Amino acid sequence: MSEDLWPPHALDDPEADAPSVAAAGTVTLVIPTFNESANVRELLARLRAAVPDRPPREVLFVDDSTDDTPAVIEKAAADCPFPVSVLHRRSPAGGLGGAVVEGIARAGSDWIVVMDADLQHPPHLVPELVGEGERTGADLVVASRYLPGGSRAGLAGGYRVAVSRGATWLAKGLFPRALRGVSDPMSGFFAVRRTAVTGAALRPLGYKVLLELVVRCRPERRAEVPFVFQDRFAGESKSTAREGMRFLTHLAALRSAGPLARMIGFGLIGLSGFAPNLLALWLLTHAGMQYLAAEVLANQAGVVWNFLLIETLLFRDRRRHRHWADRVGRFALLANADLLLRIPLIALFVGRFGLGVLPATALALVTTFVLRFAATEALVYLPRGPRAARTTGS
Ligand code: GDD
Ligand code: MN
């Protein structure tokens, strides 16, 4: 086990003899924490003030802290009328997203509310989120900064506002159907019915848990409640520039989850590989190398480029089946087999049709790429039979 339930059960709740999650309409608040010792006391105090006793509530912190956050929570929990527990993870797998998914998997209640510990998410909205879900029959209720009445007041600086806006547009552009009715897919504040979550399907990467949840679980009915993103009560944001990269990787992984999408992704990456290939070819031929030798070398630039992108964007979760050296070897072998076909083609275009080296290479790249793509589709993805002959297109 890589984690502790710390302490192993509900803390200091005199009435916690029966499991708090048995009654209908129960709510588990899942709150990820990473070094939030200066915030958790105030958070629990405001939750105490905001959250009614009925239906029963419980708070589950999923903690990856290296400071004394769990101890501070334990002390503050003594004053709480609802059960509070801390799941302290020894290895912080998946960061914020991984923590939230673990919390969701543990929650047995009807509703799960996910919120941050730094008071940027107003605690008084918790009952409203669940209430809106009960009223409308929604499976998911998102606290949105982009509804009338909501705003991003606490998002520090024009830069972060722009990044957040751009990320939202990108996500909405890539998932127009999945994100219909969700104006703020980047929100970290939402309520979801447990029945709408298929825990095993969630593999979040980094901060964007809601995006993961909506795209993978596709909760049918969605509702939204406006909220004003507050200033942090204490401490600093834990999100970094690296989170931005993770977000793009996350988008790519979500977008290429189906076989057709994977193929298109494979094709797009292959296309993008033309650029380093042609660039290397230009450099090498200008340095005086004979063009066929330059082709062979320049192809390796494209191979490396394609390999890195395919590894990080497309087959990220299938990498562990083989050692990386094995994967490099196989990938390079296939890609250069492609080159074996390409070289005679280029020689043909240059020698017979008098094309320049660059246009001939570009044409040959396109030709062999289409062939490789068609072969992949026909051999891997299409059913056998007469229809398999129609392989191009889509
Ligand atoms: N368990 C755990 N592990 N919790 C973490 C980790 C981690 O690795 N990293 C951050 N957290 C916790 C923080 O302690 C805090 O309670 C919450 O996750 C949000 O972290 P912040 O660092 O405050 O994030 P933010 O304010 O930059 O981003 C928030 O707002 C964004 C909208 O602009 C988050 O809610 C994002 O999900 C949201 O997209
Ligand atoms: Mn925050």
Side-chain angles (χ1 to χ4, degrees), residues 116 118 120 229 232 237:
D116 293 348
D118 55 7
Q120 293 194 282
F229 194 68
R232 237 178 187 276
S237 168

Side-chain angles (χ1 to χ4, degrees), residues 8-337:
H9 42 70
L11 289 168
D12 297 309
D13 177 18
E15 282 150 28
D17 37 6
S20 59
V21 293
T26 49
V27 178
T28 302
L29 275 153
V30 171
I31 307 179
T33 44
F34 181 74
N35 297 350
E36 302 287 3
S37 59
N39 286 313
V40 286
R41 173 178 303 280
E42 179 69 17
L43 173 68
L44 283 173
R46 290 204 205 162
L47 282 173
R48 216 161 51 226
V51 170
D53 294 345
R54 298 277 133 208
R57 325 264 154 157
E58 62 172 8
V59 176
L60 172 58
F61 287 94
V62 187
D63 181 69
D64 294 323
S65 295
T66 50
D67 70 357
D68 60 343
T69 299
V72 176
I73 293 172
E74 182 188 21
K75 252 196 236 141
D79 305 328
C80 288
F82 42 78
V84 176
S85 42
V86 182
L87 170 67
H88 179 72
R89 308 194 303 162
R90 246 177 243 157
S91 75
L96 167 54
V100 170
V101 168
E102 283 209 46
I104 289 177
R106 302 237 170 190
S109 48
D110 295 336
W111 283 97
I112 297 156
V113 175
V114 176
M115 72 187 298
D116 293 348
D118 55 7
L119 292 156
Q120 293 194 282
H121 298 156
H124 69 84
L125 277 182
V126 171
E128 199 175 323
L129 286 176
V130 176
E132 183 70 11
E134 293 284 1
R135 212 166 24 252
T136 60
D139 301 308
L140 172 74
V141 185
V142 179
S144 168
R145 295 163 288 182
Y146 302 124
L147 289 183
S151 84
R152 312 167 293 267
L155 209 53
Y159 168 73
R160 285 237 22 201
V161 171
V163 167
S164 176
R165 242 320 183 196
T168 303
W169 281 336
L170 188 59
K172 301 252 322 163
L174 282 171
F175 301 97
R177 247 183 312 156
L179 293 180
R180 191 177 298 148
V182 179
S183 62
D184 193 354
M186 302 299 129
S187 178
F189 191 18
F190 57 90
V192 63
R193 275 184 215 268
R194 190 169 44 85
T195 49
V197 184
T198 42
L202 294 177
R203 276 162 300 185
L205 208 57
Y207 268 43
K208 307 307 172 193
V209 190
L210 176 61
L211 178 68
E212 170 85 16
L213 191 125
V214 175
V215 171
R216 292 225 202 258
C217 300
R218 305 275 168 136
E220 250 177 65
R221 289 151 299 171
R222 302 95 186 268
E224 292 192 304
V225 165
F227 92 108
V228 178
F229 194 68
Q230 305 290 327
D231 284 324
R232 237 178 187 276
F233 182 70
E236 276 170 9
S237 168
K238 314 304 188 291
S239 91
T240 55
R242 202 166 151 248
E243 282 307 324
M245 271 314 292
R246 270 197 181 182
F247 169 65
L248 295 179
T249 315
H250 189 191
L251 279 182
L254 282 174
R255 191 61 281 184
S256 60
L260 178 66
R262 250 185 218 278
M263 253 191 309
I264 293 171
F266 189 79
L268 288 177
I269 290 173
L271 278 172
S272 76
F274 291 3
N277 192 328
L278 292 176
L279 178 70
L281 182 71
W282 183 84
L283 288 173
L284 292 172
T285 49
H286 274 70
M289 190 180 277
Q290 197 270 334
Y291 80 90
L292 284 181
E295 296 287 353
V296 177
L297 270 184
N299 194 55
Q300 308 316 309
V303 170
V304 169
W305 171 276
N306 288 351
F307 181 73
L308 290 177
L309 284 183
I310 282 169
E311 283 263 304
T312 47
L313 297 181
L314 224 48
F315 292 107
R316 196 185 184 80
D317 43 351
R318 299 193 189 179
R319 290 192 301 205
R320 69 190 104 81
H321 305 310
R322 285 180 197 282
H323 190 264
W324 69 266
D326 190 10
R327 300 198 303 274
V328 172
R330 284 166 183 267
F331 193 90
L333 207 70
L334 273 174
N336 283 295

Side-chain angles (χ1 to χ4, degrees), residues 334-353:
L334 273 174
N336 283 295
D338 191 42
L339 182 68
L340 275 186
L341 177 62
R342 208 180 305 149
I343 292 292
L345 262 182
I346 293 169
L348 183 77
F349 292 152
V350 174
R352 184 69 64 88
F353 303 121

